[in-house]
Amino acid sequence: MNTEIVISHLCQSYGRKEVLADVSFTIPQGMFGLLGRNGAGKTTLMKTLTTLLAPKGGSVTVCGVPVSQSLRVREMTGYLPQEFSMYPSMTVYEALDYLSVLSGMPKQLRQKRIPELLLKVNLSDRGGTKVKALSGGMKRRLGIAQALLHDPQVIIADEPTAGLDPEERVRFRELFRELAREKTVLLSTHIVSDIEESCENLAILDQGKLRYAGSSKGLLDQTGTQSMEQAYLACIHGTKEV
Amino acid sequence: MFGKECKKAAFSIPFLLLVLVTFLMYWSQIGPDYLSQSKKLTEPQPGENYGTTESNDPELVMPAALDSLYAEFTANSYTTYPIGFYHTVKLSGKDTEKMAGLLSELTGKTPEELLARLDTDAYEPNSVLAVIGEDGEIIPTAPQKNAQNSVSPVPGPAYDRFEELMAQVDSLLGGGSDYAPNSLSGFGRRAKTYEEALADYRAAKGIDHFSGAHARLFSDYMTLFSALLPAFLMVSECLRDRRAKMRDLIWARRVSSLRIAAVRYFSTVLLSMLPILLLAAVDTVRSVFLYTGQTVDLFAYFKYTGGWILPTVMISAATGMFLTEATDTPIGLAVMLLWWFLDLNGNIFQMGGGYAGFSLCPRHNSILGAQVFADHFWALAANRILLAALSLILLGASALILEAKRKGRWFSYDSFKARFNSRKAGSEA
């Protein structure tokens, strides 16, 4: 099965402001990092991949399906937005149940899958807890769970570790690494260490332009630096696309 | 999904408020009294007081209408209700002369004589049409003439011509006056006869089977606040995803926009109807007990609830949904409020039935009038079907807008925020 995401000459804009300019790269199966500072265009790119923004120019295919076929793409992708929550008065189980109904899952499958996912994200003792009573880390884990409900082939997580303590961040990385064994996991962040630890491949965006796309090792080699952080800075400020 | 949406909306403060307001309005506006012994429809007996009725009897209408018009003419101050709102018209010199010309033909006095009476001391109409009796009933009286300050219709002109001239008067005043041909019967109020009262009773028995008469009054009142409350609930549900920051989680899922819109819409309609249906059920039982020994229509309340109230609920929810999805604001509430307000005032002249065209809340504020209802049934049916159809069109349009928003092709609060943040990030860089 084709598990790649292919982005070809993608352009996005909000009004007259160009947010993504002629971005082209391919995301293979496994863990892929999307690095860039605030306003680089990461969220815009991710929303395009999840069909929440139609491309203004260029093309995008997810597992061989153009994003214009939104229904099929939504079946294949699980999205964890940067900012999200759920109905505060719902319990964790109710919220997942509600979202799984929206994913078209039959009742028996939901009853099997939800407990499995809660166990996976270490929330199995929180099924009856109201969403508003969850901590930030727990909400993030709930966010991962909802992204995995329909067992999508592609997981798109926008700044999933933002606001988490170091211990939670490590836990998240482990979880994503495990998922990436069989799926395509696209992780965006502005924290270099998140990518450094877990992503073989990455892309760097800056002011809507692609600065680099390829392997982490390749970035180090081409910038002649020893650390990802230095490599990232060289890429952004250095001036040239790598 | 429908069950989950119903549950989600049912356990919300807006729904709780909807239920409370519905019961409160029922209690305060209709009251349990409307199905009490004192309001029971009984066969009239000869010699009773049967209340009053409007008539087109020229002998009553013409002098009373003319009297009123002359009083307003001399004061150059005419009361109208152009869109149901009270309005005072003062005519210019030229229009006053036109009015004098019309009055001249109606009364036989010359325009000069009439114009000479302008701006004289305050003139009080000399016709006392009714007094309030000891028990609060309205007792019609015969009009009394004041020989010094009065005008009378010119003998001879046909009532048709009188109506034509009054229509011109109404037009000169900008419309909405009591002199419009379909309002003139208000000047012909008189005591109802035994035969008329008996006809009303027989219509209530034969057409309404008694419970239908009460159900119609129930619908008249309940429709008034059913025009607003569903919009309130619908707007709240439409904005809930944004408030809960759940939009992206929902929009990125495979469920179709039509399904989201339809399920939320119909769950709102159902929930809005629930307290009304409950009241309808209770009042059906009460009507059975009130008319023990007589045949009542057991389904009257449900027929009226479904046929009369439901379309108003539907259009209220649909308008709320459409405008909320289109603008991401609660402006739907303001629009429904305005529509409701204009409709309420515009229907002042049709409180006894008639059911004009696009009316949001058709009125029939009387327990009687079964024959009026029967005579105008198809006008009402057309009105209700039109509103129901329009609400489904708005539902479809809402689904289209939602689909466009899910692809970033429509203005939404989130896209506005994204633009703002993008601009801010750009300026910071």
Side-chain angles (χ1 to χ4, degrees):
Chain A
M1 183 187 175
N2 182 355
T3 57
E4 287 183 337
I5 299 174
V6 178
I7 301 162
S8 177
H9 304 288
L10 176 65
C11 297
Q12 284 287 25
S13 58
Y14 292 122
R16 279 182 284 185
K17 168 110 177 87
E18 197 168 45
V19 180
L20 289 174
D22 196 27
V23 172
S24 297
F25 65 100
T26 299
I27 303 171
Q29 191 243 313
M31 192 91 122
F32 192 98
L34 186 62
L35 201 51
R37 48 188 168 179
N38 289 333
K42 302 188 299 297
T43 297
T44 302
L45 177 61
M46 293 194 143
K47 286 196 165 185
T48 307
L49 300 182
T50 51
T51 75
L52 295 177
L53 275 177
K56 292 275 167 61
S59 67
V60 177
T61 60
V62 176
C63 302
V65 179
V67 289
S68 55
Q69 295 180 30
S70 51
L71 201 67
R72 285 181 64 194
V73 171
R74 288 169 190 167
E75 284 174 353
M76 293 187 292
T77 52
Y79 180 43
L80 174 59
Q82 182 178 359
E83 281 182 45
F84 76 96
S85 186
M86 297 188 193
Y87 302 125
S89 55
M90 276 189 179
T91 65
V92 165
Y93 191 97
E94 284 170 345
L96 289 177
D97 198 36
Y98 179 78
L99 289 170
S100 59
V101 166
L102 298 184
S103 292
M105 292 169 63
K107 188 174 182 181
Q108 275 185 333
L109 181 58
R110 298 196 318 258
Q111 286 175 338
K112 179 173 174 286
R113 188 106 176 105
I114 292 172
E116 282 174 2
L117 284 171
L118 288 177
L119 189 63
K120 200 181 194 86
V121 299
N122 204 17
L123 284 176
S124 50
D125 59 339
R126 295 283 178 174
T129 305
K130 288 204 168 92
V131 169
K132 61 186 173 190
L134 298 179
S135 67
M138 288 179 189
K139 272 191 189 158
R140 287 275 167 193
R141 280 186 264 148
L142 179 58
I144 299 272
Q146 65 81 31
L148 298 174
L149 273 171
H150 52 294
D151 196 20
Q153 186 52 40
V154 174
I155 296 156
I156 296 169
D158 193 352
E159 310 249 9
T161 59
L164 297 182
D165 61 45
E167 195 182 330
E168 283 275 8
R169 294 235 295 273
V170 168
R171 207 177 286 143
F172 261 66
R173 277 188 230 132
E174 282 305 313
L175 181 57
F176 281 124
R177 235 198 302 261
E178 190 190 322
L179 291 168
R181 285 192 200 122
E182 290 171 351
K183 301 178 190 297
T184 302
V185 178
L186 173 63
L187 218 70
S188 85
T189 182
H190 61 274
I191 302 171
V192 180
S193 58
D194 281 345
I195 302 245
E196 192 168 16
E197 301 283 332
S198 46
C199 297
E200 281 184 13
N201 298 293
L202 73 148
I204 296 175
L205 284 179
D206 187 50
Q207 293 182 49
K209 293 188 170 59
L210 182 70
R211 298 297 182 194
Y212 175 78
S215 67
S216 308
K217 191 173 180 305
L219 178 64
L220 290 171
D221 289 342
Q222 289 183 33
T223 54
T225 52
Q226 302 295 318
S227 74
M228 282 300 298
E229 207 158 295
Q230 286 174 338
Y232 168 68
L233 289 171
C235 193
I236 295 294
H237 296 297
T239 55
K240 59 181 179 178
E241 287 173 28
V242 180
Chain B
M1 187 178 167
F2 184 74
K4 288 197 180 299
E5 286 295 338
C6 284
K7 189 180 172 189
K8 184 160 66 80
F11 287 92
S12 70
I13 291 174
F15 178 66
L16 179 65
L17 286 174
L18 180 146
V19 171
L20 283 173
V21 170
T22 301
F23 287 129
L24 194 66
M25 287 293 123
Y26 170 85
W27 194 266
S28 63
Q29 300 301 312
I30 311 177
D33 197 39
Y34 92 111
L35 268 172
S36 63
Q37 283 292 332
S38 63
K39 295 288 194 300
K40 184 180 175 181
L41 292 162
T42 53
E43 186 165 355
Q45 303 303 317
E48 288 176 341
N49 174 8
Y50 314 111
T52 62
T53 185
E54 291 182 353
S55 84
N56 288 319
D57 181 356
E59 286 192 20
L60 289 175
V61 171
M62 287 169 72
L66 214 49
D67 202 45
S68 170
L69 179 59
Y70 184 56
E72 291 188 315
F73 171 80
T74 55
N76 192 20
S77 176
Y78 303 84
T79 300
T80 66
Y81 298 87
I83 46 168
F85 289 97
Y86 172 83
H87 179 58
T88 303
V89 174
K90 287 201 178 300
L91 295 177
S92 64
K94 196 175 163 192
D95 284 344
T96 301
E97 285 174 14
K98 284 184 190 171
M99 185 66 81
L102 291 168
L103 264 172
S104 172
E105 189 177 339
L106 285 161
T107 62
K109 289 184 187 286
T110 64
E112 291 74 26
E113 276 179 279
L114 292 164
L115 287 167
R117 297 292 305 167
L118 271 178
D119 299 326
T120 51
D121 291 343
Y123 177 90
E124 292 183 14
N126 58 18
S127 295
V128 176
L129 294 176
V131 295
I132 306 295
E134 285 176 355
D135 297 325
E137 77 280 16
I138 297 172
I139 305 168
T141 61
Q144 293 163 24
K145 288 283 180 191
N146 179 331
Q148 290 184 330
N149 272 335
S150 72
V151 288
S152 301
V154 174
Y159 190 67
D160 287 349
R161 181 60 186 154
F162 175 81
E163 278 190 330
E164 275 175 25
L165 291 169
M166 282 299 183
Q168 290 179 43
V169 166
D170 182 60
S171 177
L172 192 58
L173 295 175
S177 75
D178 289 338
Y179 310 111
N182 61 1
S183 299
L184 283 173
S185 59
F187 290 108
R189 190 155 280 278
R190 58 162 175 81
K192 198 182 279 189
T193 64
Y194 165 72
E195 288 75 20
E196 286 167 336
L198 188 63
D200 281 343
Y201 173 78
R202 285 178 177 159
K205 187 178 179 184
I207 299 173
D208 289 336
H209 302 289
F210 301 116
S211 54
H214 295 275
R216 197 166 43 244
L217 185 62
F218 172 87
S219 299
D220 172 77
Y221 280 110
M222 298 302 286
T223 306
L224 285 180
F225 30 94
S226 297
L228 288 174
L229 296 175
F232 172 65
L233 183 61
M234 190 79 251
V235 167
S236 171
E237 283 306 298
C238 287
L239 293 177
R240 191 191 258 213
D241 291 347
R242 174 155 73 79
R243 279 200 315 271
K245 296 186 184 177
M246 261 191 90
R247 271 190 168 173
D248 285 349
L249 299 186
I250 292 172
W251 287 4
R253 294 197 126 69
R254 62 168 280 199
V255 60
S256 72
S257 300
L258 179 60
R259 191 149 182 241
I260 293 175
V263 166
R264 286 181 174 178
Y265 172 74
F266 286 113
S267 64
T268 297
V269 169
L270 174 66
L271 289 173
S272 301
M273 290 298 292
L274 278 180
I276 299 172
L277 284 167
L278 179 63
L279 289 168
V282 168
D283 282 357
T284 297
V285 172
R286 291 177 66 209
S287 66
V288 168
F289 281 108
L290 183 63
Y291 291 96
T292 307
Q294 292 171 305
T295 306
V296 299
D297 182 354
L298 292 175
F299 296 103
Y301 273 89
F302 300 104
K303 286 189 239 175
Y304 275 96
T305 299
W308 191 304
I309 302 174
L310 177 60
T312 298
V313 168
M314 287 175 70
I315 193 66
S316 173
T319 305
M321 170 174 257
F322 174 73
L323 289 171
T324 306
E325 289 297 350
T327 65
D328 257 356
T329 69
I331 198 169
L333 282 175
V335 169
M336 276 316 301
L337 188 61
L338 181 65
W339 186 3
W340 172 82
F341 191 62
L342 292 174
D343 190 77
L344 185 70
N345 286 282
N347 276 336
I348 280 181
F349 299 112
Q350 297 208 331
M351 295 289 282
Y355 324 129
F358 229 113
S359 183
L360 176 66
C361 307
R363 303 304 308 274
H364 194 114
N365 196 246
S366 169
I367 212 165
L368 299 172
Q371 197 55 55
V372 172
F373 173 73
D375 291 344
H376 294 89
F377 175 79
W378 288 111
L380 176 66
N383 165 277
R384 301 286 85 192
I385 290 169
L386 185 67
L387 284 193
L390 179 61
S391 67
L392 295 177
I393 290 170
L394 288 175
L395 169 61
S398 302
L400 288 173
I401 292 171
L402 180 59
E403 182 63 14
K405 281 161 78 171
R406 285 174 84 181
K407 291 177 179 171
R409 287 194 176 127
W410 188 275
F411 168 82
S412 69
Y413 175 78
D414 295 329
S415 67
F416 169 74
K417 199 177 163 194
R419 284 190 195 206
F420 177 75
N421 288 340
S422 171
R423 212 169 277 171
K424 195 178 166 192
S427 64
E428 281 171 1

